[in-house]
């Protein structure tokens, strides 16, 4: 509501971007803890992490998600980490979709 009325100052947009960056950093740290705990378990583990959407940060005048189909909103991350000690022979640069 307030965002749609154009009430966001540049300072508030910067603060929102910084809060989002903080959320990403916190999630990264927690995933690191989770992966370390998984690595401590016996046997090999394949880890896959997938997101369900991206975020728009005023790239097209809006922010958040669920209201546009711009690339930054519909793009999702797919990260696959092989078991510790398994060498990856190639990296796939081709786009993947959530169905993958």
């Amino acid at each position: 509501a307030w965002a749609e009325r154009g009430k966001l100052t540049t300072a508030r947009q910067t603060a929102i971007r910084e809060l989002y960056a903080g959320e990403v950093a916190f999630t990264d740290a927690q995933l690191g803890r989770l992966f370390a705990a998984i690595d401590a378990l016996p046997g090999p583990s394949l880890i896959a992490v997938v997101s369900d959407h991206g975020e728009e940060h005023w790239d097209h005048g809006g922010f958040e998600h669920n209201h546009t189909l711009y690339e930054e909103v519909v793009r999702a991350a797919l990260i696959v980490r092989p078991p510790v000690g398994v060498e990856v022979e190639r990296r796939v640069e081709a786009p993947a979709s959530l169905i993958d």
Side-chain angles (χ1 to χ4, degrees), residues 56 60 64-75:
E56 180 183 357
H60 302 278
E64 298 183 323
H65 59 274
N66 284 341
H67 54 83
T68 69
L69 294 175
Y70 288 116
E71 183 71 15
E72 56 272 9
V73 176
V74 299
R75 181 170 286 192

Side-chain angles (χ1 to χ4, degrees), residues 20-39 49 79 81:
Y20 184 77
E23 291 174 357
V24 171
F26 176 81
T27 300
D28 181 64
Q30 297 309 306
L31 285 173
R33 291 180 59 215
L34 175 64
F35 294 171
I38 290 170
D39 290 343
V49 178
I79 302 165
R81 195 197 80 174

